[in-house]
């Protein structure tokens, strides 16, 4: 397994070892001890699965009250996956990273608490798995605009299919008291 630091401190790109032969392939998608040794100390308590058609953009989501770190991966298809640092006072506040995750490359992205997350489906269909560190709490659900010009995410071109809720999220600068504070160290 290869774990790479991204341009956002704490966000990690994980490339599991994939063992292929003429029958197919095998990979370990999670091993608590190995992942902790690689810098992912999270204890995951809930798995979520979504299936989306091509052109769907989900995000940019975060949680307050019961924030969640996430380990995400694609089981079918391909997405452009994005994390944005939304921690007030962080040296990387408002910065983003994005990676192509697919069933073929088996990559995962670890997104700690304090980051907004979203993805755009590049294939006809994408099956997406999230491992989360806290249980879903609907009252704490928040988001920022996927197309916030100050954040400037360079999304791949194509049709955009958004839920009305996602399309109506505020700009990062207007999210106000809902944003988490940066805690160094």
């Amino acid at each position: 397994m290869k774990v790479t630091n991204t341009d956002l401190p704490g966000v990690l790109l994980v490339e599991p070892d994939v063992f292929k032969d003429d029958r197919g392939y095998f990979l370990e998608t999670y091993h608590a001890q190995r992942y902790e040794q690689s810098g992912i100390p999270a204890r995951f308590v809930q798995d979520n699965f979504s299936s989306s058609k091509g052109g769907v953009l989900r995000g940019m989501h975060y949680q307050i009250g019961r924030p969640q770190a996430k380990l995400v991966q694609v089981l079918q298809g391909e997405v452009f996956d994005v994390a944005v640092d939304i921690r007030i006072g962080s040296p990387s506040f408002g910065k983003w990273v994005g990676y192509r995750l697919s069933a073929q490359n088996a990559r995962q992205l670890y997104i700690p608490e304090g980051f907004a997350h979203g993805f755009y489906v590049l294939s006809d269909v994408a099956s997406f798995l999230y491992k989360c560190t806290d249980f879903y709490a609907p009252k704490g659900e928040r988001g920022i605009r996927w197309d916030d010009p100050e954040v400037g995410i360079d999304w791949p071109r194509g049709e955009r299919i958004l839920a009305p809720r996602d399309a109506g999220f505020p700009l990062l600068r207007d999210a106000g008291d809902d944003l988490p504070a940066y805690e160094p160290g």
Side-chain angles (χ1 to χ4, degrees):
M1 174 172 76
K2 178 182 175 187
V3 178
T4 306
N5 291 316
T6 69
D7 290 340
L8 294 180
V11 177
L12 303 172
L13 183 65
V14 179
E15 297 175 86
D17 294 325
V18 180
F19 303 95
K20 297 179 182 181
D21 64 23
D22 58 346
R23 299 168 298 161
Y25 66 92
F26 171 86
L27 70 129
E28 206 169 65
T29 61
Y30 181 71
H31 184 288
Q33 187 176 30
R34 250 190 286 279
Y35 276 61
E36 186 171 356
Q37 291 168 351
S38 296
I40 300 174
R43 178 182 163 263
F44 297 103
V45 299
Q46 180 175 325
D47 285 356
N48 299 325
F49 176 86
S50 73
S51 179
S52 303
K53 64 183 183 177
V56 166
L57 194 150
R58 296 185 185 265
M60 298 295 298
H61 304 143
Y62 65 98
Q63 298 76 32
I64 62 167
R66 297 181 70 171
Q68 297 174 320
K70 298 173 183 139
L71 180 66
V72 301
Q73 69 186 77
V74 173
L75 304 178
Q76 173 191 10
E78 182 177 23
V79 306
F80 182 68
D81 197 70
V82 176
V84 177
D85 188 345
I86 59 168
R87 300 168 299 160
I88 294 176
S90 167
S92 55
F93 178 78
K95 304 288 186 214
W96 65 276
V97 293
Y99 294 92
R100 286 179 179 252
L101 307 181
S102 71
Q104 287 70 34
N105 68 25
R107 290 173 158 179
Q108 301 171 323
L109 196 63
Y110 175 71
I111 303 143
E113 295 175 9
F115 292 79
H117 172 255
F119 64 89
Y120 175 67
V121 179
L122 299 166
S123 52
D124 291 338
V125 174
S127 298
F128 198 86
L129 182 66
Y130 310 65
K131 294 185 88 51
C132 303
T133 58
D134 204 345
F135 299 106
Y136 174 67
K139 290 181 182 176
E141 230 180 4
R142 298 291 187 277
I144 60 168
R145 287 284 301 258
W146 66 277
D147 60 349
D148 185 327
E150 291 180 20
V151 175
I153 299 169
D154 186 15
W155 294 101
R157 294 177 191 214
E159 174 187 21
R160 305 270 189 256
I161 304 168
L162 285 102
R165 178 191 66 146
D166 290 0
F169 283 140
L171 299 173
L172 179 57
R173 69 176 160 182
D174 298 329
D177 295 337
D178 283 348
L179 298 176
Y182 172 66
E183 297 176 21

